[in-house]
RNA sequence: GUGGCUGUAGCUCAGUUGGUUAGAGCGCCAGAUUGUGGUUCUGGAAGUCGGGGGUUCGAAUCCCCUCAGCCACCCCA
């Protein structure tokens, strides 16, 4: 008697059942389609990288969250924890041959050993797109448009792309003489929406080392967006005086104004785009526009698509300066949100048509009919056992099939077929000789 | 990594101050109905009470450890 091994998955790692995997694949296909429609090309990189590639930035958090080990050849290796660092390494190696601007998308799994929570896992998928090698405002604009198109294509009609520009924040910090504390101050600022002004000020003074006056000044600047309800023009006209005199701050205002106007001219309703001076993003490397995208019906889950512009992507790996801009769709977080919002249709089959194994003398006919339908572009599942029809239909129902194609002895004798619409509970009678075309048409017009 | 809450059948949960063979609904399987799925009726299978250790005559129940989930902190590349 051998002891059974308890089947289980690691903390933060999950199995995906068919009904979870199908919407997941659909989402990936949508992202792929939208990226490609702007000319972004697919790339992939290895799961494992030399540890020094991944730890180049050397922050403690990286170390804590990184999955790392020694391989069989004694090399120190790590699993990628995002797609940006691999892109940086990739760019240092290949962009000279590829030329710029280089537009790529990368849809792949990443790993972080952080504490899992709803919508946060240790293994999850990111769908990044970036434009490397240009500082053009056009790329900032296109990035915004891609985020918009992506969420629309997925089916959302209520979301907000929050936009800010690091130059604006940098200018403000310069004016307040806080440039040396920028990381901690911005990290505190980023929490404003979540913890409120008082705690934000407290963190800025206690953790980041700002004075109370400085902290209040920053928070009041950040508050502008909230007060103006995201009206871009009003926000900019309120903010401009606060950064006047700072070269970077003024440039930030100007860039935001240009971006908002262009995005609107490209046909994006301004209900989807909001200037928000409070978003900062913790990442040190952003230097220009920054994006966060929230679902209006579920803001608490956090940003589902974030990104921004950076001056020097691959500075750790090459002397060539590679500016760029891009964003990342958090696929698993988005799926968790859709699940919670009831937007995920539970279907257990990818096929269109269920073909019961009805008359066991007719196996060859069933196989031929299924083959013809597949050749015509339909997915067909043939039941493997000649069980009772009600069992087979029950199975089809449970799996979520839309159609059943019933052909038994009577149908064969009369040269007919019965196409049953399982959702509508109604049957269509078709002539067997021309079944293929008729079935395809009937299925397609009802799909 | 730190703290709080939770873990009983495939799912959602009940289980009295520790007391005998741990229950329900849904689902599943079979039959009523050997050619028609969401209803109904009948019958059936299914539980190491997350795992390990301890206290006790006796533990799903109390204690410790551990694993997992959720929440908060932390951080979100």
């Amino acid at each position: 008697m051998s002891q059974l091994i308890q089947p289980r998955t690691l903390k933060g790692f999950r199995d995906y059942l068919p009904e979870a995997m199908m919407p997941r694949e659909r989402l990936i296909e949508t992202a792929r389609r939208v990226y490609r429609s702007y000319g972004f090309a697919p790339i992939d990189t290895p799961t494992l990288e030399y540890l020094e590639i991944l730890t180049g930035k050397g922050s403690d958090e990286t170390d804590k969250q990184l999955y790392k080990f020694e391989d069989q050849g004694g090399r120190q290796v790590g699993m990628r924890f995002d797609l940006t660092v691999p892109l940086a390494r990739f760019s240092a190696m290949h962009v000279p041959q590829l030329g710029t601007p280089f537009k790529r998308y990368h849809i792949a799994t990443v790993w972080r050993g952080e504490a899992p929570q709803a919508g946060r896992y240790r293994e999850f998928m990111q769908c990044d797109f970036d434009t490397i090698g240009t500082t053009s405002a056009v790329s900032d604009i296109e990035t915004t448009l891609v985020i918009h198109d992506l969420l629309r294509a997925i089916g959302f009609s209520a979301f907000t792309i929050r936009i800010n520009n690091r130059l604006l924040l940098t200018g403000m910090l310069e004016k307040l003489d806080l440039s040396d504390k920028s990381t901690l101050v911005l990290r505190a600022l980023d929490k404003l929406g979540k913890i409120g002004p008082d705690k934000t000020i407290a963190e800025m003074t206690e953790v980041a080392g700002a004075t109370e006056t400085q902290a209040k000044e920053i928070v009041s600047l950040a508050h502008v967006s909230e007060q103006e309800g995201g009206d871009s023009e009003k926000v900019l006209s309120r903010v401009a005086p606060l950064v006047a005199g700072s070269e970077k701050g003024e440039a930030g205002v100007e860039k935001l104004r240009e971006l908002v106007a262009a995005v609107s001219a490209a046909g994006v309703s301004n209900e989807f785009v909001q200037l928000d001076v409070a978003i900062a993003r913790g990442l040190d490397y952003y230097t220009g526009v920054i994006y966060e995208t929230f679902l209006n019906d579920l803001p608490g889950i956090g940003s589902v698509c974030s990104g921004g512009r950076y001056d020097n992507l691959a500075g750790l790996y090459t002397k060539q300066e590679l500016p760029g801009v891009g964003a990342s769709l958090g696929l698993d977080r988005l799926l968790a949100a859709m699940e919670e919002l009831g937007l995920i249709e539970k279907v257990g089959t990818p096929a269109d048509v269920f073909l019961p194994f009805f008359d066991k003398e007719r196996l060859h006919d069933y196989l031929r009919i299924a083959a013809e339908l597949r050749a015509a572009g339909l997915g067909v599942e043939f039941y493997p056992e000649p069980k009772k029809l009600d069992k087979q239909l029950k199975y089809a129902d449970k799996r979520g099939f839309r159609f059943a194609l019933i052909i038994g002895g009577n149908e064969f004798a009369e040269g007919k077929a019965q196409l049953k619409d399982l959702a509508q509970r109604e049957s269509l009678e078709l002539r067997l000789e021309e079944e293929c075309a008729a079935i395809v048409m009937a299925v397609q017009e009802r799909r």
Side-chain angles (χ1 to χ4, degrees), chain A residues 80-95:
Chain A
R80 63 179 174 221
F81 53 85
D82 74 355
L83 300 179
T84 304
V85 170
L87 173 65
R89 195 224 79 227
F90 176 98
S91 300
M93 289 174 70
H94 304 300
V95 161

Side-chain angles (χ1 to χ4, degrees), chain A residues 212-377:
Chain A
E212 193 160 343
T213 318
Q214 288 169 325
K216 280 184 174 163
E217 185 95 5
I218 296 166
V219 169
S220 74
L221 174 72
H223 244 329
V224 169
S225 305
E226 202 174 300
Q227 289 160 358
E228 299 299 347
D231 181 319
S232 310
E233 211 27 67
K234 282 187 187 163
V235 172
L236 285 174
S237 57
R238 286 271 308 272
V239 167
L242 297 170
V243 295
S246 157
E247 196 183 316
K248 286 186 177 168
E250 288 179 5
V253 170
E254 203 35 59
K255 282 185 184 293
L256 283 172
R257 184 169 276 138
E258 182 186 9
L259 177 61
V260 168
V263 167
S264 162
V268 173
S269 161
N270 53 19
E271 72 186 283
F272 298 118
V273 177
Q274 255 183 37
L275 289 190
D276 186 342
V277 189
I279 70 163
R281 306 206 41 74
L283 311 180
D284 298 340
Y285 61 72
Y286 288 127
T287 50
V289 64
I290 43 189
Y291 304 97
E292 290 198 343
T293 310
F294 292 87
L295 303 177
N296 296 0
D297 298 323
L298 199 61
I301 198 147
S303 172
V304 294
C305 189
S306 315
R309 171 167 281 286
Y310 37 85
D311 284 338
N312 193 3
L313 174 69
L316 288 168
Y317 318 106
T318 176
K319 286 179 180 164
Q320 185 182 8
E321 259 191 35
L322 289 172
V325 59
S328 177
L329 179 74
L331 186 88
D332 292 276
R333 181 175 287 188
L334 189 62
L335 279 165
M338 290 172 76
E339 170 89 52
E340 192 168 336
L341 293 170
L343 299 176
I344 305 242
E345 198 190 343
K346 297 222 164 150
V347 177
T349 175
D352 304 296
V353 175
F354 177 73
L355 180 62
F357 191 175
F358 201 160
D359 183 341
K360 62 183 166 197
E361 305 305 318
R362 295 284 195 157
L363 174 62
H364 290 11
D365 289 308
Y366 290 123
L367 293 174
R368 177 182 49 79
I369 290 166
E372 282 172 19
L373 290 172
R374 289 186 193 114

Side-chain angles (χ1 to χ4, degrees), chain A residues 14-147:
Chain A
R14 304 169 294 159
D15 287 326
Y16 302 96
L17 273 55
E19 64 179 35
M21 201 57 197
M22 282 193 284
R24 195 175 159 81
E25 286 192 347
R26 199 155 51 226
L27 216 54
I28 292 168
E29 278 157 25
T30 303
R32 216 173 253 147
R33 197 176 64 241
V34 172
Y35 294 159
R36 294 170 86 110
S37 76
Y38 281 78
F40 291 91
I43 70 162
D44 202 0
T45 65
T47 298
L48 297 181
E49 296 273 3
Y50 279 102
L51 196 58
E52 76 229 33
I53 299 282
L54 299 176
T55 54
K57 295 209 311 140
S59 92
D60 292 348
E61 283 307 320
T62 306
D63 265 22
K64 268 201 284 187
Q65 298 192 353
L66 189 64
Y67 280 95
K68 56 188 167 194
F69 55 92
E70 185 180 300
D71 76 2
Q72 289 87 332
R75 285 170 283 257
Q76 296 299 312
V77 300
M79 293 165 81
R80 63 179 174 221
F81 53 85
D82 74 355
L83 300 179
T84 304
V85 170
L87 173 65
R89 195 224 79 227
F90 176 98
S91 300
M93 289 174 70
H94 304 300
V95 161
Q97 296 101 289
L98 294 165
T100 58
F102 173 58
K103 297 169 77 169
R104 80 90 175 83
Y105 70 86
H106 192 179
I107 299 176
T109 306
V110 302
W111 296 267
R112 290 182 202 173
E114 65 178 347
Q117 264 167 53
R120 290 171 67 160
Y121 312 98
R122 289 186 164 181
E123 176 179 64
F124 58 101
M125 191 165 266
Q126 291 196 328
C127 309
D128 278 33
F129 64 99
D130 285 83
T131 305
I132 309 297
T134 173
T135 54
S136 168
V138 173
S139 299
D140 294 3
I141 294 159
E142 275 197 352
T143 301
T144 320
L145 298 178
V146 171
I147 296 174

Side-chain angles (χ1 to χ4, degrees), chain A residues 169 172-173 176 178 180-193 195-223 277-280:
Chain A
L169 297 168
M172 180 185 67
L173 292 176
L176 291 168
L178 277 171
D180 54 327
K181 305 187 175 78
S182 65
T183 301
L184 291 176
V185 171
L186 293 182
R187 191 175 287 166
L189 176 62
D190 214 30
K191 295 178 191 166
L192 178 63
I195 64 179
D198 295 342
K199 287 187 181 169
T200 304
I201 290 170
E203 182 167 333
M204 282 183 185
T205 53
E206 289 158 24
V207 180
T211 67
E212 193 160 343
T213 318
Q214 288 169 325
K216 280 184 174 163
E217 185 95 5
I218 296 166
V219 169
S220 74
L221 174 72
H223 244 329
V277 189
I279 70 163

